[in-house]
Amino acid sequence: MSDNETQTYKRSAVVLLADDNPADQEIARRVLGSGVFHCELHIANDGVEALDYLRRTFEDPDTHPRPDLMLLDINMPRKSGMDVLRHVKGNADLRRIPALMLTTSESDRDIGSAYDLGCNSYLTKPVDVPQFIEALKTLGKYWLDLVVLPSGVRNSERMEGAS
């Protein structure tokens, strides 16, 4: 394989969700953590837990595998999703991990700040539960089925049918 080719792996994508809302966590667990997307979902209750998880990926990758994708809420206690994003995109070992803001904020200031810090996508959470479920399904379809993540991971089901 040449240096210019992308290798893809048949393993579950690892997704880190940082969100302080237990209801949103449960919906994400049901949608993204189900067998549909073949991903391993890890949940942090706030930005401090998210950064602690990321630190542990270097210390104990067996129990804290490096995320292939991060979903960050902005407004969380102790440390915001913006703080996590700033840390991740400022760290040479982490900056390639796609970071998606998944938040209720529709503020132009938050949207601009998130993109300035290097977020890969900004999604406003629908307050209607069925719409939120559909948004997560669409997010999962795009990021976990169609996109080749920087780690080379694609949805394992998609890879089985690939030539």
Side-chain angles (χ1 to χ4, degrees), residues 44-135:
N45 293 304
D46 58 41
V48 171
E49 285 186 19
L51 291 175
D52 183 56
Y53 179 93
L54 292 168
R55 180 183 53 78
R56 290 175 187 234
T57 64
F58 297 104
E59 297 169 1
D60 189 4
D62 291 334
T63 60
H64 293 79
R66 178 188 174 96
D68 299 299
L69 181 67
M70 292 184 304
L71 307 175
L72 305 172
D73 186 15
I74 289 179
N75 299 309
M76 296 184 287
R78 301 197 299 164
K79 205 169 268 298
S80 74
M82 291 288 198
D83 293 331
V84 175
L85 180 64
R86 185 177 295 106
H87 174 82
V88 167
K89 296 305 180 178
N91 182 308
D93 293 324
L94 300 173
R95 72 172 47 122
R96 283 191 176 180
I97 300 171
L100 285 61
M101 306 313 284
L102 184 61
T103 183
T104 56
S105 173
E106 295 178 330
S107 159
D108 289 341
R109 183 174 162 215
D110 285 342
I111 295 167
S113 294
Y115 280 113
D116 287 345
L117 289 171
C119 87
N120 298 88
S121 198
Y122 191 103
L123 297 103
T124 303
K125 284 187 213 174
V127 286
D128 179 64
V129 172
Q131 289 178 349
F132 184 43
I133 290 169
E134 283 306 309

Side-chain angles (χ1 to χ4, degrees), residues 137-150:
K137 286 179 179 178
T138 302
L139 178 151
K141 177 76 174 156
Y142 179 76
W143 284 100
L144 301 173
D145 281 352
L146 299 175
V147 171
V148 177
L149 297 167

